[in-house]
Amino acid sequence: AQAGFGAFLPLLAMDADAVKTSALALVPDESAWPAIQALRSAHDKQVKIWPPHINILYPFVLEKAFDVARQRLIEALRDVGLIRLRFARKSNFGAVAFLVPESDEDPNLARLHAACSDAFGELPHPCHAFQPHLTIGQFDSESACKAFLDTCPPLQLEVSAQVCLLARDTMKHPFRIVSRLVFDELNRCSFAPGDSRPYTPASGTEALVGGRMSPGPACDYYQISRSHIRFFFKVSTEAFKGTDPGVSSDGAPRRTLFVVDKSGSMGCHYEEVKAAVRYMTGAAEGTDHVLEFILYGSSAICAHACDVLSSSPSGGTSFGAAFRAITEYIARYPMGTILTVVFMTDGHDTRTQNLPAEKHAFVDFLKTCGRQTTIHAIGFTPLHNRGALEEMCKMGSSEGMYRYADGRDSGLEARFAEMFDFADVNIKTSLRIGGTELPCSGQDCGGGEARFDLLLPRAFLADDSPCGVEVCRVSIGSGEVTLKAVAPDPMFSIRCVDEMEISTQSDLDSAQRALAEVLPQKAPKILRQEVIDAKGLAQARLDKYHQLFAQGARSALAATGGNLAAELSSLRHEATFSKARRARAMAQRATTNASSVALMDQLLQALPPPSEEELADLKAKELSCTLSGDTAVEVLRDTKRDFMVFALRVRRPEDVIDAPTMLELQQVLSGIYSNEAFRMGAEYAVRSAGPEQAHGGFAGTAKQPAALGNEVGLFRGPDGQQMNACLPLYISAEHFARVRVQIKPILGYFFTLDPLGYKGDQTIALYGILGSMLCFRAGMGLGSDKKDFCGAWADWVIEDFTKLCAGIRPVALEYLEKGSFGGAPRGDLLDDFMRSPAGRTKERVTSLSVVIGWAASVGSELSKQFYMVFVEELWRRNFTCLYKGQPREPIVEVLERLLYGASADDGASGKDALEADDPARNRAAKDREFAQWACYLRGECPKKMADEMRKRYGSGPRVGPEVEGLASADAAYSPRTLLLYEDAPEYFDKIVEAELEKICHHNAFTAALYEGRPFGEGFMGSEKRLMLIQALQFVGNDVVNEAVEKHRYLDTFSCLTSSNGQEHDRTAESCICGQLHERFEQHRKERFSACVEQRNALRTAQRILASSSLDAFFGRCAVSCPTRGGSVFECLVALLCAGGIVNGSPAPLLLEKVQAVLTGKLDGVPVIAEGSSWACCPRETARRLQEVVGEEAFAKIELLMNGTWGHVYRESDIPNRHGHCNSNPNEQLVVSFSGFRLATVGG
């Protein structure tokens, strides 16, 4: 009995013996370690201390009690059996990310944990419920943690796991797996020996540098740039013993003093302080890290951890008392001692009578005391005195860190723990390179090793800086390290940016350029995401500087007052952009443009007063402000800055920040105004109704547009219409002179709602406004025959605004010559557009409205060359829009018909093709056959017919009637003959007419202005054929850019005029058609079987679309595209998006077929994808289908699609082995749909 009792003596008084140097944990089989370690290596600070594990009991008993612990565990776990774990989900506790272990045999590992807890009932139990987890990372914030989890690749691991006893020598050393619980073939458990060696990360994982992966194998190296040098190396801590008292040794323990604010304002948050103290004392137990405390309120006392745990908040706050207590504490230690102080407060000093004197005495003591002291500070709640704490961090021998703890849960506890962990491993010493000695800090990695990762300005080393090629020797402590030169990598470049001192706009610009040169794609693949994350954090830091400098520029602008930019700044729209780069761009512009405001005022003052002759001319025009009644004469005579404007209604998508031509002109309103009166009216509207209701703000984006509400506007004009923008008028030379001086803030506010938001592209976009106005007046605005903008008023405004654009043209030309628009220097925009296809790409001319406006401002008569060039590019862009995201096979088919005529159908398929059936009309007998097949699949056929169907077609997933008109897979290549236009003029004209009908709606906007030419009027049949071939073969911006770069895009007009007489058409055809013919034939020779397969897919899709009944459509879909995927379905969608036209004929029952493609059903019966909705349909495809069927019909289809679609679970709602069911679906396998939101009403 005595022996039995003695065996359990080590487990008595377990509260005293529970330590953090041991743990009872579940360790996955090492076969799963590579995948887990790959996740841990980037963000888990303990990856070198803990193996992959799930803590069952921690802290645990002392290692000397493991023998008895093993006996208890064998008794407690005999019925548990082998443990299998599945890792498929990730989650987080605040800023800690972890994998969720799942076990079918023991859900939530509850049985295992209960058995172990019962076996060690003496151990302290945590207050929270047990939640098993395998930690993979710690982050600065919960948002950063969730961002990491969102970008994490999916993980699916199923492994066995063992209960293990873990132990380590000290808190700095890695754990050892002392024992493992194993089971024999009879399921009897016992403990097997583990590994006497400390755990090390798997050899396959990359070496870590400061929590980040190193650029290659772990080594001692240095990197060098123009401005900085980085040293990375590891040394034995033996090099510091006897020389650096900051390093663990027998004679010099680490000492950290925590100065804790216990004033009454701490309230309930004081419990967080106590929780942090418990963590720190537990972590420091068994180590040489000495923790001491000062509690201060109205007075201050030195204390032990137990005093802090038993204290409560009360009294005021006296920094002076804390300074005196810290002074007494430091004085107790001998000269040369290294001390760390962590000072915490939640507010301001309220009790010290002469704080400046107390502070001065404290600083003097620190400078003369002879102890190496570093002071860190923690500010708690927004009420604390941050400036005082940042000043305190600079008082010691070396500068400390300032950290802010917000009032959220565990914020203060986390900051205390962070400071402790830093002090626990931080080493202070000096680095010697040649004759230069510099103070530096390193990190004690445990196991007798210290790591240093130093980034220094090269200026610090002067003549001792290494060259970047040869090895470099550095001395540290009593040791010397040889470093090899390593080429700079992206992470080094980012760190250099982080270290740059930024005090001026020039500094910021340099840092921004340096960061822009960092290319994550150049980093090794395994490091790429880390580089992206680091660059994002560095950019976020620079963005704060951008906003700070922009705010300073705006404040200075407001303080000066008396100028247009300052006045418009009061109307500036504070927008939150969806992309951070747009906010950054606006901040950069504000800083740049603010510097020119003073010069603008000087130029305005220098303008000569208007002459009496000009005033008389203005008086004769009888122009006056609709709001104030001020005449143009009074505006020009009585002010230096004011000018006359006209009103517009516009929609500003957010994209106008980057691309001002994206601004949409919706209406030109009647009436003219003085800018001053318009601004005051706008100011009142913004104040009373709010900015979004007044000017509409930024209405969505180009990809997610939002319409302006009818009530959005600043005020109503004489015509009763709401306006939300204005532009200046020309009126006269003297009036235009003041407009030209102020054009930058005018355009800045018009496009971005910020007078300092100007960029040169806005000058070019101004011509796009003129182009849209010209189209509106012509009567085809937005494809409507309604003329809202016409008559004498429209003529006068356009004539005047054209003069203004002509006056601004020198400014635009200067901008074009710099190469800032379109990426290359150039001269006149119209000349560049006419010269060659290179000047017509989307990169060179973002909107064709700009070309229209520019041509009008030049005033020259438009030639046939202009019309041909403009219309061809208009067709190309509209076809690009029509076929965006769709396969190219329908385009290829049309091009082949334009090249080879009716024979293209035979030649495309080969000699063995069936006769050229018209894909626009299916044979009635064949449609009936597919309709019967649909009835059979739905179970609606009589028994006799069903038996016949099974006998005829058999059974299986892909059986049914054969699709007609397809080429044989064994067809052989045969060359095709290129036709001239005169060989089949009627056929070619029919093809051209059918294709132009597809983009008729888009061509209508400019058709009236250019007398029907966008519809093909005014061109000969042969010319239209060549223009259409060019437009179709270069559909897609990437395609045309490549063709321009390789000089494959020939200028149509030049080809037509390259020879005289009747042969010029043939010359053009041989140039343009011959080149395309050669490419087509070369492709067919090399990949003929693929060409046949692609054409058969298109033919099949055409047959499906041409089905004369819904039953035939059902049957054809069931045979050829039962799911949403594959070339047949892609071609079917492309044909629907192109208007549902097959060979010039509209498909029957088009609305029902679009509905079936999107909903997967017809009259509630599954047709495609087992009747599930196409919830992931691309937005651009959805928009095209909406245009085909109309908004009202499309809205009804969306309602039918609403719901949750994806993986189907059992009806009983019993979870599967992954824990998922209908009420708890796997989010990666299902999607909820509630509409495409193609346009939402704004305002």
Side-chain angles (χ1 to χ4, degrees), residues 307-320:
D307 300 323
V308 179
L309 297 176
S310 62
S311 63
S312 58
S314 62
T317 304
S318 173
F319 289 173

Side-chain angles (χ1 to χ4, degrees), residues 258 279-280 283-284 289 291 416-425:
F258 288 89
Y279 164 78
M280 294 185 293
H289 195 165
L291 304 183
F416 265 113
E418 178 188 349
M419 290 293 190
F420 166 77
D421 291 339
F422 176 77
D424 191 44
V425 299

Side-chain angles (χ1 to χ4, degrees), residues 895 898-899 1025-1033 1073 1076:
L895 284 171
L898 289 169
L899 293 177
R1025 177 197 178 212
L1026 290 178
M1027 291 163 63
L1028 184 59
I1029 288 174
Q1030 294 283 66
L1032 285 173
Q1033 71 166 315
C1073 300
L1076 183 60

Side-chain angles (χ1 to χ4, degrees), residues 45-63:
K45 300 174 184 176
Q46 301 294 325
V47 69
K48 288 191 172 183
I49 303 297
W50 289 85
H53 71 287
I54 301 156
N55 274 331
I56 305 299
L57 296 177
Y58 177 75
F60 195 53
V61 300
L62 290 166
E63 185 178 1

Side-chain angles (χ1 to χ4, degrees), residues 205-209 213-221 232 234 484 486:
T205 58
E206 282 67 24
L208 296 178
V209 180
M213 294 182 185
S214 71
C219 63
D220 298 331
Y221 62 88
F232 175 81
K234 294 181 180 180
K484 72 174 185 179
V486 172

Side-chain angles (χ1 to χ4, degrees), residues 1155-1220:
Q1155 178 179 321
V1157 167
L1158 288 172
T1159 65
K1161 299 175 183 176
L1162 277 174
D1163 296 328
V1165 179
V1167 177
I1168 297 175
E1170 299 180 341
S1172 64
S1173 289
W1174 195 10
C1176 56
C1177 172
R1179 186 180 296 271
E1180 191 62 35
T1181 299
R1183 184 175 287 110
R1184 293 292 167 211
L1185 294 176
Q1186 182 190 55
E1187 291 177 1
V1188 170
V1189 301
E1191 291 187 13
E1192 185 176 349
F1194 192 81
K1196 293 179 181 178
I1197 294 175
E1198 283 186 295
L1199 288 175
L1200 295 174
M1201 294 175 64
N1202 286 352
T1204 301
W1205 307 97
H1207 190 77
V1208 179
Y1209 298 94
R1210 64 189 79 173
E1211 293 183 4
S1212 64
D1213 209 34
I1214 298 174
N1216 62 14
R1217 63 193 182 95
H1218 302 291
H1220 298 303

Side-chain angles (χ1 to χ4, degrees), residues 553-674:
R554 292 193 176 103
S555 299
L557 185 65
T560 59
N563 58 70
L564 178 66
E567 290 169 352
L568 288 178
S569 288
S570 64
L571 298 175
R572 187 175 71 88
H573 182 49
E574 292 281 359
T576 301
F577 298 109
S578 62
K579 295 184 177 180
R581 62 179 172 79
R582 288 177 179 151
R584 178 164 64 254
M586 290 297 291
Q588 289 173 316
R589 291 182 208 171
T591 309
T592 302
N593 293 330
S595 60
S596 64
V597 171
L599 177 61
M600 189 187 308
D601 281 347
Q602 294 173 15
L603 293 174
L604 283 172
Q605 295 302 319
L607 289 176
S611 65
E612 290 299 325
E613 184 178 335
E614 181 182 7
L615 293 177
D617 289 342
L618 278 180
K619 186 175 181 181
K621 293 180 181 179
E622 297 182 351
L623 301 176
S624 62
C625 174
T626 305
L627 283 179
S628 66
D630 292 341
T631 66
V633 172
E634 291 169 337
V635 167
L636 205 60
R637 183 186 59 202
D638 299 340
T639 71
K640 283 282 191 180
R641 294 185 290 107
D642 203 7
F643 50 89
M644 305 301 287
V645 300
F646 67 101
L648 309 97
R649 182 174 178 81
V650 301
R651 186 182 71 86
R652 299 178 179 92
E654 189 181 308
D655 309 68
V656 297
I657 302 300
D658 310 310
T661 54
M662 295 298 294
L663 182 138
E664 177 191 339
L665 175 61
Q666 296 186 334
Q667 196 173 3
V668 183
L669 290 89
S670 63
I672 64 173
Y673 307 84
S674 75

Side-chain angles (χ1 to χ4, degrees), residues 37-117:
Q37 296 291 69
L39 292 175
R40 296 181 69 206
S41 60
H43 297 286
D44 190 355
K45 300 174 184 176
Q46 301 294 325
V47 69
K48 288 191 172 183
I49 303 297
W50 289 85
H53 71 287
I54 301 156
N55 274 331
I56 305 299
L57 296 177
Y58 177 75
F60 195 53
V61 300
L62 290 166
E63 185 178 1
K64 63 184 179 182
F66 275 10
D67 287 341
V68 178
R70 280 188 280 265
Q71 296 175 31
R72 285 197 180 188
L73 289 169
I74 290 172
E75 183 68 26
L77 303 180
R78 64 174 59 188
D79 297 327
V80 170
L82 183 67
I83 299 171
R84 294 284 301 176
L85 295 180
R86 180 174 58 258
F87 296 102
R89 295 192 296 123
K90 310 175 191 71
S91 189
N92 67 294
F93 300 129
V96 177
F98 61 87
L99 299 178
V100 180
E102 298 174 291
S103 171
D104 294 334
E105 298 82 8
D106 185 7
N108 210 32
L109 300 179
R111 191 153 52 97
L112 174 65
H113 179 259
C116 294
S117 295

